Amino acid sequence: MTQRESRIGKFRVVALRDANFALDGGAMFGVVPRALWERLTEVNDDHTIPLAATPYLLDDGVNRIVIEPGMGRRWGEKQTKMFHIDHSGGHDLLESLRAAGVEPEDVTHCLMTHCHWDHIGATCGEDGKPVFPNAQHWAVESEVKALSAQGHMRGASYRIEDLQPVIDAGLLNSFSGEVEVLPGITMTELGGHSEGIALIQIASEGDKGAFWADIVPTRNHVHLPFIMAYDMNAEKSFKVRSEWIKKSADEGWLNMLYHDTISPMGRFVFDGKKYGYDPLVD
C-alpha cells in the first residue's frame, strides 16, 4: 500500500486528495512513442491517461501549509466530462484536509508552484471566496502576469477567476527568483514547463524534500527525456530536470508528486543509466 503520510524533520507531510482527472496521453509524454508510454500507465478509450490532483499539507505544530490547492469543484458539465474530473471516494481538498485534523481557517500558508487551472482551481470555493481566508498565498510573479495576459501561448491553461478573489482580499504575495517563505521552506523559480514554475524545497533537522508539480508530474516522468508536450520550453525543462533530479537522488530527498495516481511520495534513484522512482510504502 502506498504511503500518504511521512515526515521531513519537524514537518508532518500528508498527501491530501482533491480530484482524479485525465489528460491526453500523448501530450503528457511528449515525443516519447506511445509504444513505450502505454506500457507504463492505464489508457482510457479517448486516449487520455488517469491523473491525480494531490495537494500536500506540511504541519510543524505552528504553521499549517498547503502546497498546490488542487482543481476544486468550479467546473461545468462539459469540462467535467472532457477531463474526467472525479471527486468521489474521498477526493476533495477540504474533506481530506479535515481528515488530517486541519480546518481551512487554520491554514497559514498556501503555496502555488504555477497558476494552471489544474493546480490552483481550488484556491477559491464555489462561492467565489478564498478557501483559506487566513493564509498567506505565494506565487511566482511571472505566473500571476501570465494569468491575466491576453494572447498568451498557454492561455487556455489559465483562469483569472481562480486567483482574483485572493488578490482582491490582499492575500497574495508574489516573488521572482527565490523566496524563503518560512525557515526551511523555499520556493525557487525554474521555468520550462510554464513561465515561472517553481520547485518547493523543504529542509528540517537534516532531512530534505521537494514538491515537483509539473517538473516531474508522475513517477513515470523521472526519466529525464520524458518531457511533456505541455511544456513551453522543452530545452529548459530538460536542463532544469537534469540538475534538480540528480540533486534529489544524490541527497536522498523525499519527493512529493502531484499527478501520480499510485505513489504520491517516494525517492528518486539512479541505476547508473537512468533515474527511477522508489515509492514509499507502509
Side-chain angles (χ1 to χ4, degrees):
M1 180 179 180
T2 55
Q3 192 169 329
R4 299 197 68 89
E5 184 166 337
S6 189
R7 296 198 71 85
I8 300 173
K10 67 180 180 180
F11 292 102
R12 174 192 178 205
V13 182
V14 183
L16 304 172
R17 300 175 184 270
D18 178 60
N20 285 334
F21 71 116
L23 292 175
D24 182 78
M28 284 299 297
F29 285 95
V31 299
V32 179
R34 176 166 178 159
L36 294 180
W37 62 255
E38 68 179 0
R39 303 174 191 170
L40 304 174
T41 179
E42 179 185 344
V43 184
N44 297 320
D45 291 341
D46 60 356
H47 311 294
T48 61
I49 63 171
L51 298 170
T54 306
Y56 287 82
L57 169 69
L58 302 180
D59 188 348
D60 65 1
V62 176
N63 300 288
R64 295 174 176 85
I65 305 108
V66 169
I67 297 177
E68 219 82 314
M71 297 181 67
R73 293 181 174 272
R74 292 180 295 104
W75 300 97
E77 183 178 349
K78 179 180 178 181
Q79 296 162 318
T80 299
K81 183 177 180 180
M82 180 188 303
F83 297 117
H84 301 258
I85 300 172
D86 180 13
H87 287 282
S88 64
H91 291 275
D92 180 271
L93 173 63
L94 297 187
E95 289 178 14
S96 61
L97 191 64
R98 289 183 173 117
V102 177
E103 292 293 326
E105 295 78 13
D106 299 333
V107 174
T108 59
H109 300 76
C110 179
L111 312 185
M112 300 168 284
T113 62
H114 62 303
C115 293
H116 287 173
W117 53 260
D118 56 323
H119 290 255
I120 69 164
T123 307
C124 299
E126 293 177 90
D127 60 1
K129 297 179 181 179
V131 167
F132 306 123
N134 301 317
Q136 297 182 36
H137 292 65
W138 285 88
V140 180
E141 184 176 353
S142 59
E143 285 293 312
V144 178
K145 290 181 179 178
L147 195 66
S148 55
Q150 297 293 320
H152 189 274
M153 177 182 176
R154 291 287 188 265
S157 298
Y158 294 97
R159 304 188 308 178
I160 184 62
E161 61 268 27
D162 288 336
L163 204 57
Q164 192 63 55
V166 172
I167 297 172
D168 294 343
L171 297 174
L172 181 65
N173 301 278
S174 61
F175 72 96
S176 297
E178 186 171 281
V179 64
E180 187 175 40
V181 176
L182 287 166
I185 300 180
T186 303
M187 299 180 71
T188 303
E189 181 180 6
L190 297 182
H193 171 68
S194 64
E195 291 283 358
I197 188 171
L199 179 74
I200 299 176
Q201 302 165 72
I202 304 99
S204 175
E205 299 176 354
D207 295 337
K208 294 183 178 180
F211 174 76
W212 291 84
D214 283 344
I215 303 166
V216 181
T218 79
R219 68 193 184 283
N220 297 319
H221 289 81
V222 181
H223 188 35
L224 294 180
F226 281 32
I227 296 172
M228 293 186 290
Y230 293 118
D231 285 17
M232 289 184 61
N233 187 330
E235 183 178 2
K236 188 171 186 179
S237 286
F238 185 79
K239 181 179 179 181
V240 163
R241 285 160 51 80
S242 298
E243 175 184 353
W244 288 94
I245 289 174
K246 179 181 187 301
K247 187 174 179 65
S248 172
D250 289 347
E251 298 181 3
W253 295 2
L254 174 68
N255 299 297
M256 294 164 271
L257 305 184
Y258 184 69
H259 285 311
D260 200 279
T261 59
I262 298 174
S263 307
M265 290 190 283
R267 303 189 190 278
F268 298 162
V269 294
F270 185 63
D271 66 5
K273 294 182 179 180
K274 65 179 183 179
Y275 289 96
Y277 186 66
D278 186 10
L280 291 190
V281 294
D282 289 330

